[in-house]
């Protein structure tokens, strides 16, 4: 863990004008979950085990702890169990950031983009609950209209392979200047990039928040155990681990479909993530 923290701090020291903008500060205080019971701050990056972490933290709120897999997602999706850092005043935020264990989990940016694409644009619509099915349809129609054929009034409503958004179309949307300025598929009123594919450094700002634990997707098992031991919960719950190698093994095939210039745009989008967390920029889905 020390090596990872030291790497981040060294890279942060190289930044020119490393003041955190108000826009970016608002993002990390909005993203970080506060677990007062275990004195833990968790910055949840989508597609890096966030759902299961929130299951675990929710399960630990009761005595005895519950089975994380029996925790319904609505319990934390609706923000009933945890406050976020933005719900505290500035003085209390500073105290929490100084005294609580600060945790983030990260993932190879190339691999994470594939995971986000599969989750939102490729998974069959019947797998989504109604609320998220409508959102996925909205996203798919936008990408088809803008990156396939603007002369067609796309209105995808059913599972039909002809209407599948391709990874190439997704990557063009992702790196479009319009998306970078104000994401049309943003979930916030100020146009911040959708958290499913926003850079991790934008979501959690590790140059401002000095994370005590920087876990990684490809070492999830050991890093989860480290966090649970740190908060005295390693004998209370089991983190629901899935095979982290599935998307990693598939990712190179997705990038083979992109032109080198498009891969370079993806690299530049996530350049800060690559640099801070030590991932290889030259090799899509490399560790």
């Amino acid at each position: 863990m020390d090596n990872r923290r030291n790497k981040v701090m060294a890279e942060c020291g190289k930044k020119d004008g490393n003041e955190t903008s108000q826009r970016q500060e608002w993002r990390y205080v909005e993203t970080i979950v506060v677990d007062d019971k275990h004195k833990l701050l968790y910055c949840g990056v989508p597609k890096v085990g966030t759902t299961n972490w929130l299951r675990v933290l929710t399960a630990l709120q009761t005595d005895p702890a519950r089975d994380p897999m029996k925790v319904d997602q609505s319990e934390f999706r609706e923000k009933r169990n945890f406050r976020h850092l933005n719900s505290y005043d500035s003085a209390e935020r500073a105290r929490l950031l100084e005294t609580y264990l600060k945790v983030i989990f990260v993932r190879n940016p190339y691999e994470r983009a594939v995971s986000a694409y599969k989750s939102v644009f490729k998974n069959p619509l019947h797998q989504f609950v109604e609320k998220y099915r409508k959102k996925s349809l909205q996203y798919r129609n936008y990408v088809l209209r803008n990156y396939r054929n603007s002369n067609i009034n796309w209105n995808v409503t059913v599972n039909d392979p002809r209407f599948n958004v391709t990874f190439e179309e997704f990557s063009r949307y992702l790196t479009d200047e319009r998306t970078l300025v104000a994401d049309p598929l943003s979930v916030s009123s100020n146009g911040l990039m959708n958290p499913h594919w926003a850079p991790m450094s934008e979501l959690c700002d590790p140059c401002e928040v000095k994370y005590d634990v920087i876990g990684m997707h490809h070492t999830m098992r050991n890093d989860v155990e480290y966090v649970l031991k740190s908060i005295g919960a390693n004998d209370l719950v089991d983190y629901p681990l899935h095979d982290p190698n599935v998307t990693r093994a598939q990712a190179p095939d997705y990038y083979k479909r992109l032109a080198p210039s498009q891969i370079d745009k993806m690299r530049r989008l996530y350049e800060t993530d690559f640099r801070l967390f030590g991932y290889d920029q030259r090799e899509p889905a490399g560790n």
Side-chain angles (χ1 to χ4, degrees), residues 160-176:
D160 186 326
R162 294 175 300 171
F163 302 146
N164 286 351
V165 171
T166 68
F167 186 65
E168 190 270 341
E169 290 163 345
F170 168 68
S171 71
R172 286 168 53 210
Y173 144 74
L174 194 57
T175 57
D176 191 315

Side-chain angles (χ1 to χ4, degrees), residues 34-95:
V34 180
D35 178 0
D36 285 312
K37 183 176 181 180
H38 300 97
K39 300 188 184 310
L40 175 75
L41 300 181
Y42 168 63
C43 195
V45 175
K47 315 317 301 174
V48 195
T50 297
T51 296
N52 283 336
W53 262 117
L54 291 174
R55 279 196 175 106
V56 166
L57 295 178
T58 300
L60 286 170
Q61 297 310 300
T62 59
D63 295 312
R66 299 154 61 191
D67 178 352
M69 291 309 295
K70 294 182 179 178
V71 173
D72 190 276
Q73 291 191 37
S74 64
E75 295 187 46
F76 50 81
R77 295 291 184 210
E78 297 170 10
K79 301 183 179 180
R80 292 194 303 229
N81 290 315
F82 301 104
R83 295 173 66 181
H84 284 66
L85 199 57
N86 64 345
S87 66
Y88 297 83
D89 63 31
S90 57
E92 185 64 4
R93 278 183 217 162
R95 184 187 72 80

Side-chain angles (χ1 to χ4, degrees), residues 109-257:
Y110 289 131
E111 181 186 322
R112 178 171 168 255
V114 170
S115 182
Y117 161 74
K118 290 168 58 181
S119 173
V120 177
F121 293 97
K122 190 175 181 182
N123 282 349
L125 291 169
H126 67 81
Q127 293 184 4
F128 295 87
V129 297
E130 182 63 23
K131 174 182 177 181
Y132 295 110
R133 181 162 54 247
K134 289 180 178 178
K135 187 65 70 174
S136 180
L137 282 169
Q138 173 192 336
Y139 291 176
R140 294 177 193 209
N141 283 312
Y142 174 83
V143 173
L144 290 170
R145 185 169 62 251
N146 287 275
Y147 302 97
R148 182 175 296 183
N149 191 335
S150 61
N151 295 321
I152 297 177
N153 183 23
W154 295 99
N155 187 24
V156 178
T157 58
V158 295
N159 280 318
D160 186 326
R162 294 175 300 171
F163 302 146
N164 286 351
V165 171
T166 68
F167 186 65
E168 190 270 341
E169 290 163 345
F170 168 68
S171 71
R172 286 168 53 210
Y173 144 74
L174 194 57
T175 57
D176 191 315
E177 189 64 30
R178 291 174 295 180
T179 304
L180 302 180
V181 171
D183 188 354
L185 305 185
S186 176
V187 296
S188 61
S189 59
N190 53 4
L192 290 171
M193 186 176 280
N194 189 298
H196 279 84
W197 40 81
M200 298 176 285
S201 50
E202 180 182 314
L203 290 171
C204 297
D205 196 359
C207 290
E208 179 72 15
V209 180
K210 308 301 189 288
Y211 290 96
D212 304 295
V213 178
I214 301 173
M216 292 189 163
H217 190 262
H218 65 281
T219 56
M220 181 73 80
R221 184 180 299 277
N222 290 338
D223 296 346
V224 163
E225 187 68 14
Y226 180 90
V227 174
L228 292 177
K229 282 183 179 178
S230 297
I231 63 174
N234 54 305
D235 293 327
L236 302 178
V237 293
D238 292 319
Y239 181 93
L241 280 167
H242 301 296
D243 185 357
N245 296 313
V246 175
T247 298
R248 188 174 310 131
Q250 296 172 345
D253 290 333
Y254 284 90
Y255 285 92
K256 287 177 184 175
R257 306 168 196 176

